[in-house]
Amino acid sequence: MFHAFKLDDNEYDLGLSRAAQGYRLHLGDKTVPVELHPQDDGSALLHIDGVRRRVFIATRGDDVFVHLDGAAYHLRYEHPLARLSHQAHGSADDSVRAPMPGSVVAHHVKAGDSVSRDQSVLVIESMKMETTLVAPRDGVVAEIVYAVGQTFERDAVLLALAPVGE
Amino acid sequence: MNRIESRLNTQSAEFQANAEHNRRLAAEFREKQERARHARPQRDVERLAAQNKMPVRERIKLLLDPGTPFLEFSSLAANEAYDGDVPGAGCVTGIGIVSGREVVINAGDPSVKGGAWYPLTVKKTVRALDIAIENRLPVVHLCDSAGGFLPLQAELFADKYYAGRIFRNQCILSKMGVQQVAVVLGHCTAGGAYVPGLSDYNVIVRGTGAIFLAGPPLVKAATGEEVSVDELGGCDMHTSVSGTADYPASSEEEAIAIARDIVGQFKRPQKSAIEWLPPEAPLYDPAELYGILPRDIKQQFDMREVIARLVDGSRFHEYQPNYGKTLICGYAHLWGYKIGILANNGVLFNDSALKGAHFIELCNQNRTPILFLQNITGFMVGREYERRGITKDGAKMIMAVSCSEVPKFTVMCHGSFGAGNYGMSGRAFDSRFLFSWPQSQISVMGAEQAANTLADVKIRQLARQGKQLGEADIAAIREPVLGEFKRKQSAYWSTSEIWDDGILDPVDTRNALGICLSAALNTPILDPRYGIFRM
């Protein structure tokens, strides 16, 4: 299994494989034997590379809190899929297009407004249903193409964001 | 599997307003349920006490293993029928744990019209036994019924899915090797006599229990013979002379204890093996579901937010995230069990329908049960979409849904209109279980659209005769249609007519589905086989 952790803003890629006893930790080119033995008092014994240490571990969702040698660490588990997809979030559309034919019900912003990603900008109605459309990225609204009540076709540009860098 | 990243702002005014609205709906639902379960006329309560009979829910409590859940079906059945006089349709059905085994419980409620069978009582009972057949669940019948409600006999006696179906289903269960035990706690007269008669095992209570084809008054009228209840069909006669009943009991408590011991002898099922992981609570609080569901049925919401509050760890592997985006498809685990999910995020287009059909095939290929989360206003209409073959693409999805061999489960989350109801495994498509949320609506089209359509037809009809309708005349056509549609598209109407297996408070959905999944795996999952997909 591949794992990624964030510790103090640094990201670490780790691999974990089963060993005869416990696991092997793969970190870069290094391979380190690890074992974790939970104890009755809530602590655990951690064996890393032959060294035995007493640790306290608590988890909340993807956050892992480790108490080790008098210091507390906050690790954040990052799913590889989430991490890789975040890296890919560079370019997003410059416009909001109609997912289906319909009419405009409401504008939540006007030309010149600054918007942030996922902020609701327009409400449209089609097939008896009101759908809220959101901004594809942070930016400034350049134009809202249709007035409230006007109808449009599928894929029509409903709202344009000013190009980045202008 | 990656976690769903919620984009919900739980501090927003919108969320707070939705939460308040939906919590109120859930409270209203619980109040209705409480009334249907417990509010009874004083004279009925006193009559039962005088007969030394326990209320049906106390009987069920004694029957079930302590501390185990009971998933009750259709608790508000018949609540919009018979002037509300037959709460719960006069019977209690559900899945519970008896002696460590999952069983269907079918219990008559003698505090409602003496346990008489109304048409919807029969429908609810037949449905419970269908659930037993489809999921191979043993059945415990707690019999206490005055017999068919005679003024409505034409609506409960002779048709294919009327009372005869109860007995037919009992025979089919026995043939399948699914065991049944009946406990006779009152009179089982006429058809009702066959419930213990067709059970593999039965227990009868001395004094109050009796089984006969005709009670003493009818016998006297037919042949002139005068005979007492006990002589005619009491506990001792049937357990020592006729062999119609197996085990005598001196009290209801003893009878139920014997039934528990009998169930303890049943063979345990071999469950179908599907992917399973140790269960994990959702990362996002299921109570946030109240803030997601919009107050207005017309308003759209992101079904991913709902999925995140139902499934283990809020983890979801989304299939084709960039194609046919109005239908979300993907894998998750629920109470450990791997499931495939199809959830509406808008109108069904050609691409969403194709994606849905393909995903159903994938789930069948890898033996993954499917959960449908409905919020659908229909398939897209219009010239462009007909030219692209929206009808034939919808037909592919309906073909895949109908022929799917893996167990299906459906939750009516919000709207369910038109053919979208079919494509998303509505009642007619044999989902093993189907539940509704309190605000959900089902109808062939929206109320407004139906009222306008009918008004239009009328206006054109009269226009041909050279007449013109005034505003008031049009309103007079529209209003009744609107009222009728609104009443009959509500979840309360739906559940009253047993178009579902009950309304659920959204926060209970995860647990209910966990019980259903476990039950569904008693039946082997067969190889998928489909009809013709119109290409």
Side-chain angles (χ1 to χ4, degrees):
Chain A
M1 282 287 282
F2 293 103
H3 300 272
F5 284 94
K6 211 170 194 173
L7 177 63
D8 299 339
D9 287 338
N10 295 318
E11 286 190 358
Y12 298 88
D13 281 311
L14 306 171
L16 207 56
S17 61
R18 279 190 184 280
Q21 278 198 321
Y23 292 88
R24 280 184 303 256
L25 188 67
H26 306 274
L27 182 63
D29 295 335
K30 279 191 289 183
T31 301
V32 186
V34 289
E35 286 174 53
L36 188 70
H37 301 282
Q39 304 295 300
D40 288 342
D41 62 356
S43 72
L45 287 179
L46 177 69
H47 301 226
I48 294 187
D49 218 359
V51 183
R52 184 190 299 199
R53 285 158 154 166
R54 197 176 162 79
V55 295
F56 289 87
I57 300 170
T59 56
R60 191 184 60 203
D62 290 332
D63 291 301
V64 186
F65 302 91
V66 181
H67 200 267
L68 171 71
D69 291 343
Y73 301 91
H74 175 190
L75 294 158
R76 186 165 171 79
Y77 178 78
E78 298 242 295
H79 196 283
L81 290 178
R83 204 167 131 254
L84 295 168
S85 82
H86 284 160
Q87 288 172 355
H89 261 312
S91 64
D93 289 346
D94 282 341
S95 58
V96 175
R97 287 175 184 273
M100 57 190 106
S103 63
V104 175
V105 174
H107 294 162
H108 284 174
V109 293
K110 55 185 190 304
D113 283 358
S114 295
V115 293
S116 49
R117 185 177 160 220
D118 290 337
Q119 181 183 335
S120 68
V121 289
L122 287 172
V123 181
I124 61 165
E125 181 173 331
S126 175
M127 296 285 290
K128 303 162 263 177
M129 192 174 56
E130 288 182 6
T131 308
T132 303
L133 302 178
V134 299
R137 60 167 169 82
D138 296 352
V140 175
V141 177
E143 187 193 2
I144 297 177
V145 184
Y146 295 91
V148 170
Q150 274 192 303
T151 59
F152 49 79
E153 289 302 308
R154 180 170 144 124
D155 281 335
V157 172
L158 302 180
L159 178 147
L161 294 176
V164 182
E166 265 185 25
Chain B
M1 243 179 239
N2 195 359
R3 289 197 207 276
I4 291 174
E5 195 183 324
S6 178
R7 290 173 177 177
L8 204 60
N9 177 3
T10 54
Q11 302 306 316
S12 70
E14 184 71 9
F15 179 94
Q16 301 293 345
N18 287 347
E20 195 196 318
H21 171 81
N22 287 303
R23 277 179 201 279
R24 186 167 44 78
L25 293 185
E28 281 168 11
F29 159 62
R30 288 191 181 276
E31 202 187 296
K32 273 179 194 273
Q33 200 174 40
E34 181 66 23
R35 266 206 308 276
R37 283 174 174 165
H38 299 294
R40 296 288 182 273
Q42 191 56 33
R43 69 188 155 81
D44 286 321
V45 177
E46 282 165 8
R47 178 174 48 80
L48 284 190
Q51 292 173 332
N52 232 349
K53 285 182 174 181
M54 279 189 278
V56 63
R57 285 173 197 277
E58 278 181 38
R59 290 171 174 170
I60 292 173
K61 197 174 163 203
L62 277 186
L63 178 66
L64 296 171
D65 290 358
T68 57
F70 176 59
L71 176 63
E72 185 177 347
F73 300 133
S74 302
S75 56
L76 294 180
N79 259 43
E80 306 270 317
Y82 321 124
D83 297 325
D85 278 349
V86 189
C91 61
V92 182
T93 62
I95 293 181
I97 312 290
V98 175
S99 300
R101 283 132 178 106
E102 287 169 341
V103 301
V104 163
I105 289 168
N106 164 35
D109 184 348
S111 69
V112 179
K113 310 279 177 191
W117 287 0
Y118 280 69
L120 286 169
T121 318
V122 170
K123 191 172 182 185
K124 184 168 164 181
T125 308
V126 169
R127 171 62 190 154
L129 296 179
D130 278 344
I131 287 172
I133 289 174
E134 288 167 12
N135 302 287
R136 302 206 178 172
L137 293 166
V139 182
V140 179
H141 303 271
L142 300 180
C143 311
D144 195 348
S145 166
F149 182 67
L150 293 177
L152 293 177
Q153 66 85 22
E155 287 152 60
L156 65 83
F157 175 60
D159 203 3
K160 177 157 173 155
Y161 293 105
Y162 288 0
R165 196 74 180 183
I166 297 174
F167 315 121
R168 177 266 184 195
N169 277 359
Q170 283 192 274
C171 298
I172 298 299
L173 276 168
S174 191
K175 179 172 94 170
M176 291 166 68
V178 180
Q179 298 156 92
Q180 297 168 72
V181 51
V183 187
V184 180
L185 300 152
H187 290 189
C188 291
T189 316
Y194 291 110
V195 175
L198 291 168
S199 293
D200 306 311
Y201 301 84
N202 67 43
V203 188
I204 182 167
V205 179
R206 186 172 292 120
T208 44
I211 307 170
F212 28 56
L213 287 188
L218 198 59
V219 168
K220 182 154 194 289
T223 66
E225 186 183 21
E226 287 201 37
V227 59
S228 75
V229 165
D230 263 352
E231 269 181 290
L232 186 63
C235 166
D236 291 308
M237 194 287 284
H238 276 314
T239 54
S240 67
V241 179
S242 77
T244 304
D246 303 320
Y247 303 82
S250 53
S251 66
E252 295 201 357
E253 286 85 348
E254 190 193 357
I256 290 168
I258 294 172
R260 283 182 51 80
D261 210 45
I262 293 169
V263 175
Q265 312 309 315
F266 289 179
K267 64 178 165 47
R268 288 177 193 271
Q270 283 279 323
K271 298 230 175 189
S272 288
I274 63 164
E275 283 286 314
W276 192 85
L277 286 176
E280 185 187 353
L283 179 69
Y284 297 105
D285 185 356
E288 288 169 0
L289 286 170
Y290 295 127
I292 297 168
L293 299 173
R295 302 176 305 280
D296 181 353
I297 195 83
K298 282 199 324 209
Q299 228 171 44
Q300 182 63 338
F301 59 96
D302 190 352
M303 202 62 107
R304 275 183 209 87
E305 300 288 355
V306 170
I307 296 171
R309 283 151 188 91
L310 289 180
V311 304
D312 288 9
S314 305
R315 292 175 207 280
F316 186 57
H317 173 102
E318 190 170 346
Y319 171 73
Q320 289 194 330
N322 214 19
Y323 182 76
K325 288 180 180 179
T326 55
L327 183 69
I328 303 169
C329 298
Y331 298 115
H333 285 258
L334 194 147
W335 274 111
Y337 301 103
K338 166 100 173 274
I339 55 169
I341 296 177
L342 281 86
N344 300 118
N345 237 15
V347 180
L348 287 164
F349 290 101
N350 300 71
D351 51 2
S352 8
L354 292 175
K355 173 177 167 182
H358 189 105
F359 187 69
I360 291 167
E361 288 193 81
L362 291 177
C363 289
N364 273 273
Q365 182 195 49
N366 59 25
R367 302 291 189 273
T368 305
I370 304 175
L371 171 63
F372 293 85
L373 299 175
Q374 285 210 12
N375 176 26
I376 179 67
T377 53
F379 287 91
M380 191 68 205
V381 299
R383 185 173 58 181
E384 185 190 344
Y385 300 95
E386 294 293 352
R387 287 177 66 90
R388 289 189 200 175
I390 187 72
T391 306
K392 73 174 188 177
D393 287 344
K396 290 187 192 83
M397 188 172 174
I398 292 171
M399 179 67 74
V401 165
S402 303
C403 300
S404 171
E405 277 291 340
V406 297
K408 294 174 294 193
F409 309 89
T410 306
V411 180
M412 298 292 176
C413 299
H414 210 51
S416 175
F417 299 106
N421 171 285
Y422 299 162
M424 290 295 291
S425 202
R427 190 59 155 176
F429 292 82
D430 289 332
S431 283
R432 296 284 183 91
F433 300 93
L434 187 152
F435 299 105
S436 306
W437 285 353
Q439 193 181 225
S440 63
Q441 297 184 359
I442 303 177
S443 59
V444 67
M445 60 166 80
E448 292 280 344
Q449 289 75 24
N452 291 341
T453 307
L454 288 172
D456 275 356
V457 170
K458 195 78 190 170
I459 290 166
R460 266 182 280 140
Q461 227 172 42
L462 290 172
R464 276 198 296 275
Q465 300 165 13
K467 289 180 200 154
Q468 229 179 355
L469 283 179
E471 294 255 325
D473 301 322
I474 294 173
I477 299 170
R478 277 175 44 93
E479 290 312 316
V481 179
L482 213 54
E484 178 80 349
F485 253 74
K486 282 193 171 149
R487 189 163 88 92
K488 294 195 171 173
Q489 72 185 6
S490 85
Y492 287 108
W493 179 267
S494 211
T495 208
S496 175
E497 291 292 308
I498 319 179
W499 297 347
D500 60 26
D501 296 311
I503 293 181
L504 286 179
D505 183 336
V507 297
D508 292 335
T509 308
R510 177 177 155 81
N511 285 347
L513 289 173
I515 294 173
C516 293
L517 272 158
S518 172
L521 296 177
N522 288 310
T523 305
I525 301 174
L526 304 179
D527 290 336
R529 217 167 61 82
Y530 308 92
I532 305 296
F533 289 99
R534 179 171 292 278
M535 298 295 177

